[in-house]
Amino acid sequence: RRQGIKAINIAEFMETNPVEKAKWLVAFAAFYGHECIQIAQAKSQEVQQQYDSLKRIASKANNKPTVMISLPWKGTWYVGGGNSFQAQYFKDANAAYVWQEYQEEASIPLDIETAFEKGIMATFWLNPGAKASIDELIEFDERFQAFSSVKSSLVFNNNKRINEFGGNDYWESAVCKPHWVLADLIHLFHPEL
């Protein structure tokens, strides 16, 4: 602004619904003209329809596995609140988020004991930081051996597609394609579907 360049705030990160995050595509399209807005609106409708279709499929599951996320950092375990976009993904994939009762929309800090108490029995453990294997998790903290998800090898990270510059597909293109993430989650939680 001091240099005379106009700036706008992009608040996509504050959305609590994955599809609403994707709809920011329409806001970006406004910079490129009416035709781009129409294309973005059509794409947003397509994403909404596909996402809703996947939600209907997930609702047919007979079980509702429990899910925990993240990894402690400097003695604190930061997790998405129960009203976060991550919690919404789990709900839409017909899974129970172990920290659902925390009604925050943003990340919340938990002490290690609280996280262990809730997480130890979770069926799935997703996005455990930069750890690339269960062995790395156990090396980080040997108490993780007691976790149900570790015993069952149901630990999954969101780092399969990272480019040479460190760009992670989950935090980049998946924002515009939440139906892809939901499809992956349904595949993990309910492979029979």
Side-chain angles (χ1 to χ4, degrees):
R1 288 184 178 140
R2 286 189 301 259
Q3 295 178 349
I5 300 171
K6 293 181 180 179
I8 63 164
N9 289 324
I10 304 297
E12 160 274 322
F13 69 96
M14 295 178 68
E15 298 290 352
T16 60
N17 182 303
V19 174
E20 295 303 315
K21 287 173 80 70
K23 288 181 180 177
W24 273 80
L25 183 62
V26 177
F28 287 109
F31 292 109
Y32 299 99
H34 185 69
E35 185 177 315
C36 288
I37 292 171
Q38 290 177 324
I39 293 168
Q41 287 172 331
K43 191 66 169 165
S44 291
Q45 288 174 348
E46 180 184 322
V47 166
Q48 180 79 61
Q49 290 167 350
Q50 290 182 20
Y51 195 93
D52 290 345
S53 176
L54 288 163
K55 274 176 51 175
R56 284 190 295 278
I57 291 169
S59 72
K60 296 176 184 174
N62 294 326
N63 66 334
K64 196 172 212 173
T66 53
V67 183
M68 62 172 281
I69 62 169
S70 196
L71 188 72
W73 186 71
K74 294 187 178 183
T76 303
W77 202 309
Y78 293 91
V79 300
N83 288 330
S84 66
F85 80 95
Q86 292 165 315
Q88 187 65 50
Y89 268 133
F90 303 144
K91 180 181 177 184
D92 293 344
N94 202 7
Y97 183 41
V98 298
W99 292 294
Q100 186 63 49
E101 78 270 11
Y102 297 99
Q103 296 301 300
E104 288 82 3
E105 295 174 356
S107 185
I108 55 171
L110 299 176
D111 59 69
I112 300 292
E113 293 75 19
T114 301
F116 270 62
E117 182 183 334
K118 289 275 197 183
I120 197 165
M121 296 308 297
T123 311
F124 288 89
W125 184 352
L126 301 184
N127 310 337
K131 305 305 177 204
S133 69
I134 289 176
D135 289 339
E136 283 185 29
L137 279 174
I138 294 170
E139 197 175 296
F140 180 77
D141 190 326
E142 64 184 33
R143 295 176 294 176
F144 291 154
Q145 293 177 83
F147 281 51
S148 295
S149 55
V150 171
K151 290 178 184 177
S152 303
S153 296
L154 294 175
V155 180
F156 299 91
N157 214 334
N158 60 4
N159 59 0
K160 185 174 183 177
R161 288 177 41 166
I162 296 178
N163 70 21
E164 66 272 18
F165 304 108
N168 181 318
D169 209 23
Y170 177 78
W171 297 108
E172 296 187 14
S173 63
V175 173
C176 294
K177 298 175 181 170
H179 53 297
W180 288 10
V181 175
L182 184 60
D184 283 349
L185 292 173
I186 294 168
H187 179 72
L188 287 177
F189 303 152
H190 311 290
E192 73 281 4
L193 297 177

